[in-house]
């Protein structure tokens, strides 16, 4: 059978780079190299390529789609494959942006490999590079005796997979469920651990007779004692999420594990922010890298894992599956606090850049959209100046939505962490959100009793 031999390079530097490849042969069937690591998740099926690949296809017109992370333009081409002739292909991938040059570095803080993954080392070597992630966090976990592939790794920095530009950390998902598939206390991710935090799971996740103890807050304390970070995941689901947040046990909040579905998934996070709890936005993809979800963290001029974690804790983040999104309020950035009085002017600027056109940009104050811009035909970049008047304490953030879909067939989104407002006027949203948590905590205590 004929074959195509391809080389993937960075168009600007000419250097070979890893990428994700989708091949559709002349008969409309996907094609894969025999031993390639397969892409996981919805959308275009494909495989990982370590800078070059060879794929056998029948004679005829074959279509190639090649991607790397979210900062490169997808490369698409159709090649006429002829039997008996050399079929060579060069794939020059072009950046549409370079956020690390501006001090913003992407990471994925929630990844597991399941019990069916039989080549975890090869996948873990390629994942950070194919998806262009500076920080990749895989986590051990427990559900009964299932032999999850990721559990082979020791917690801590995985030096054999780490380089100057790609840090790989093995953390832990510490968790509890009320029933086998009903979240109870919740799930929390630990980063930068020295030792596993035990028990990794409690209750039915272990077996039918395991106690629903200890609380996850105790596990957060142990992670913190080791110098680790605690990130609540799954949009804040779990009875203990508000307790851990209010007691200051958390460093960040993972949204959209594994992908964005609808704006309701912001609800718990918005309520926590309304209560004055500083929780930066983070995100991951949960089972494998099954979406383009990533959190960008501003570290300054130098990237290290420590500087990245410091930027995450400081709230200098935005989450996205593609677009770059920034907000500035009176020259203050996400994580900062703007001080003033009621009636003060707030000069707010929202800026965005995206390969896939975005259809709406929204400004959110204390959980409510206070202004928006619609782009029926789509916008790939822009700057929006929004003059506001300070009225009460709270927070401001920007978010993006679009029905346009990436190669995982996921709609495009982005959301900044908040800029905080302190004007000596209590927010009405705070009391409503506090009442929301009082009700939820009453329900949790009823279940515990």
């Amino acid at each position: 059978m004929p074959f195509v031999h391809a080389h993937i390079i960075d168009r600007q530097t000419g250097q070979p780079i890893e990428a994700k490849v989708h091949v559709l042969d002349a008969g409309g069937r996907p094609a894969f190299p025999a031993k390639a690591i397969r892409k996981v998740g919805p959308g275009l099926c494909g495989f990982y390529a370590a800078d070059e690949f060879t794929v056998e296809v029948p004679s005829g017109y074959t279509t190639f789609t090649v991607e790397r992370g979210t900062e490169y333009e997808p490369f698409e081409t159709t090649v006429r494959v002829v039997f008996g002739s050399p079929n060579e292909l060069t794939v020059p991938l072009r950046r549409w942006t370079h956020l690390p040059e501006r001090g913003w570095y992407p990471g994925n803080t929630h990844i597991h490999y399941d019990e069916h993954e039989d080549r975890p080392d090869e996948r873990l070597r390629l994942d950070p590079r194919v998806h262009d992630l500076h920080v990749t966090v895989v986590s051990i976990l427990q559900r009964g005796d299932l032999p999850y592939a990721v559990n082979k790794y020791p917690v801590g920095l995985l030096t054999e997979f780490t380089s100057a530009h790609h840090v790989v950390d093995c953390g832990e998902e510490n968790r509890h469920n009320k029933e086998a598939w009903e979240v109870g206390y919740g799930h929390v991710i630990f980063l930068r651990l020295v030792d596993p935090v035990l028990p990794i799971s409690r209750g039915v996740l272990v077996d039918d007779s395991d106690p629903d103890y200890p609380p996850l807050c105790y596990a957060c304390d142990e992670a913190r004692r080791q110098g680790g970070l605690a990130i609540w995941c799954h949009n804040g689901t779990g009875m203990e999420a508000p307790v851990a947040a209010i007691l200051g046990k958390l460093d960040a909040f993972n949204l959209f594990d594994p992908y964005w579905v609808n704006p309701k998934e912001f609800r718990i996070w918005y309520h926590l922010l309304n209560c004055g709890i500083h929780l930066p936005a983070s995100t991951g993809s949960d089972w494998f890298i099954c979406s383009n979800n990533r959190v960008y963290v501003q570290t300054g001029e130098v990237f290290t894992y420590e500087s990245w974690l410091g930027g995450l804790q400081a709230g200098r983040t935005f989450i996205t599956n593609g677009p770059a999104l920034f907000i500035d309020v009176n020259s203050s950035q996400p994580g900062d606090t703007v001080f003033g009085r009621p009636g003060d002017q707030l000069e707010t600027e929202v800026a965005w850049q995206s390969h896939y056109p975005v259809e709406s940009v929204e400004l959110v104050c204390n959980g409510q959209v206070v202004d928006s811009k619609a782009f029926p035909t789509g916008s790939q970049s822009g700057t929006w100046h929004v003059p506001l008047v300070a009225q009460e304490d709270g927070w401001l953030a920007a978010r993006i939505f679009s029905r346009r879909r990436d190669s995982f067939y996921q709609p495009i989104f982005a959301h900044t962490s908040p800029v905080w407002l302190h004007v000596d006027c209590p927010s009405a949203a705070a009391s409503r959100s506090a009442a929301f948590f009082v009700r939820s905590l009453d329900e949790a205590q009823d279940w515990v009793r």
Side-chain angles (χ1 to χ4, degrees):
M1 183 180 290
F3 64 87
V4 176
H5 182 221
H7 294 268
I8 308 168
I9 61 171
D10 182 298
R11 180 174 168 179
Q12 181 179 1
T13 66
Q15 295 299 308
I17 54 175
E18 301 85 351
K20 181 176 61 183
V21 182
H22 168 71
V23 180
L24 205 63
D25 71 18
R29 298 174 295 268
F32 308 88
K35 296 182 179 180
I37 295 289
R38 300 288 184 96
K39 170 204 166 185
V40 175
L44 294 177
C45 57
F47 59 90
Y48 291 177
D51 74 52
E52 64 176 314
F53 64 92
T54 300
V55 59
E56 291 187 344
V57 289
S59 298
Y61 289 97
T62 298
T63 300
F64 295 83
T65 303
V66 184
E67 296 180 286
R68 178 182 168 90
T70 58
E71 295 188 24
Y72 286 83
E73 295 176 354
F75 177 91
E76 297 184 26
T77 190
T78 299
V79 175
R80 183 169 179 258
V81 178
V82 179
F83 183 78
S85 298
N87 298 289
E88 296 287 336
L89 176 65
T90 298
V91 177
L93 293 180
R94 176 183 176 274
R95 281 186 176 273
W96 60 268
T97 191
H98 200 318
L99 293 179
E101 288 186 344
R102 299 163 63 181
W104 291 89
Y105 296 89
N108 183 320
T109 56
H110 187 178
I111 303 170
H112 312 292
Y113 298 159
D114 69 16
E115 69 275 19
H116 302 297
E117 175 58 59
D118 57 2
R119 297 160 63 191
D121 287 359
E122 293 176 66
R123 183 175 295 279
L124 193 51
R125 285 191 184 93
L126 287 169
D127 260 341
R129 293 157 176 81
V130 167
H131 297 279
D132 201 21
L133 296 167
H134 278 71
V135 172
T136 304
V137 181
V138 296
S139 295
I140 62 173
L141 72 169
Q142 179 186 11
R143 183 183 288 127
D145 295 324
L146 283 174
Y148 295 125
V150 76
N151 288 359
K152 65 170 282 189
Y153 301 114
V155 298
L157 195 67
L158 300 181
T159 56
E160 65 268 41
F161 304 106
T162 294
S163 69
H165 302 290
H166 303 282
V167 172
V168 180
D169 184 17
C170 184
E172 173 182 323
E173 182 170 356
N174 198 283
R175 56 196 193 152
H176 170 266
N177 284 44
K178 286 196 290 188
E179 303 295 343
W181 300 106
E182 183 182 0
V183 175
Y185 296 166
H187 297 189
V188 62
I189 294 288
F190 299 142
L191 285 64
R192 197 174 58 187
L193 289 178
V194 177
D195 299 301
V197 176
L198 302 176
I200 297 174
S201 291
R202 69 273 293 137
V204 295
L205 288 170
V206 179
D207 59 51
D208 289 341
S209 61
D210 194 71
D212 296 307
Y213 185 86
L216 298 182
C217 282
Y218 291 15
C220 293
D221 288 342
E222 171 57 21
R224 290 278 192 81
R225 187 193 65 78
Q226 297 183 26
L229 277 68
I231 302 177
W232 205 274
C233 50
H234 304 309
N235 308 309
T237 55
M239 296 184 291
E240 208 179 334
V243 178
I246 290 163
L247 294 179
K249 309 288 186 184
L250 305 179
D251 296 285
F253 208 72
N254 256 24
L255 297 151
F256 306 147
D257 295 324
Y259 43 76
W260 176 78
V261 177
N262 62 62
K264 291 181 180 178
E265 297 183 20
F266 292 124
R267 184 182 64 157
I268 294 172
W269 186 49
Y270 283 0
H271 278 310
L272 290 169
L273 298 181
N274 287 346
C275 291
I277 299 169
H278 289 218
L279 271 181
S282 182
T283 190
S285 53
D286 202 356
W287 288 107
F288 299 87
I289 296 187
C290 62
S291 68
N292 275 323
N293 286 12
R294 59 202 56 223
V295 54
Y296 274 89
V297 177
Q298 188 180 43
T299 69
E301 295 181 1
V302 178
F303 166 78
T304 65
Y305 193 31
E306 294 304 311
S307 68
W308 193 89
L309 293 176
L312 177 67
Q313 290 174 296
R316 300 193 180 281
T317 76
F318 68 88
I319 60 172
T320 183
N321 63 355
L325 181 62
F326 310 98
I327 185 171
D328 181 292
V329 182
N330 287 4
S331 300
S332 295
Q333 314 301 317
D336 293 340
T337 300
V338 176
F339 294 91
R341 303 291 296 175
D344 286 353
Q345 292 293 316
L346 299 174
E347 294 300 327
T348 304
E349 179 182 282
V350 179
W352 64 93
Q353 186 184 11
S354 180
H355 170 70
Y356 295 99
V358 303
E359 296 177 334
S360 69
V361 182
E362 299 174 341
L363 186 64
V364 183
C365 180
N366 294 351
Q368 301 297 317
V369 176
V370 293
D371 208 343
S372 63
K373 286 184 73 70
F375 302 96
T377 59
S379 169
Q380 289 181 286
S381 64
T383 302
W384 178 31
H385 296 275
V386 190
L388 296 174
V389 176
Q391 297 178 343
E392 57 185 16
D393 297 338
W395 56 275
L396 281 167
R399 69 187 192 188
I400 278 175
F401 295 118
S402 180
R403 292 169 297 179
R404 309 297 177 94
R405 294 177 180 260
D406 61 14
S407 64
F408 284 100
Y409 296 170
Q410 295 301 319
I412 302 304
F413 78 88
H415 202 305
T416 70
S417 282
V419 177
W420 292 92
L421 307 176
H422 185 79
V423 297
D424 291 325
C425 180
S427 163
S431 59
R432 292 194 297 269
S433 292
F436 168 83
F437 287 124
V438 169
R439 291 191 299 271
S440 67
L441 291 174
D442 285 344
E443 293 169 0
Q445 290 183 83
D446 288 342
W447 180 83
V448 170
R449 291 191 192 100

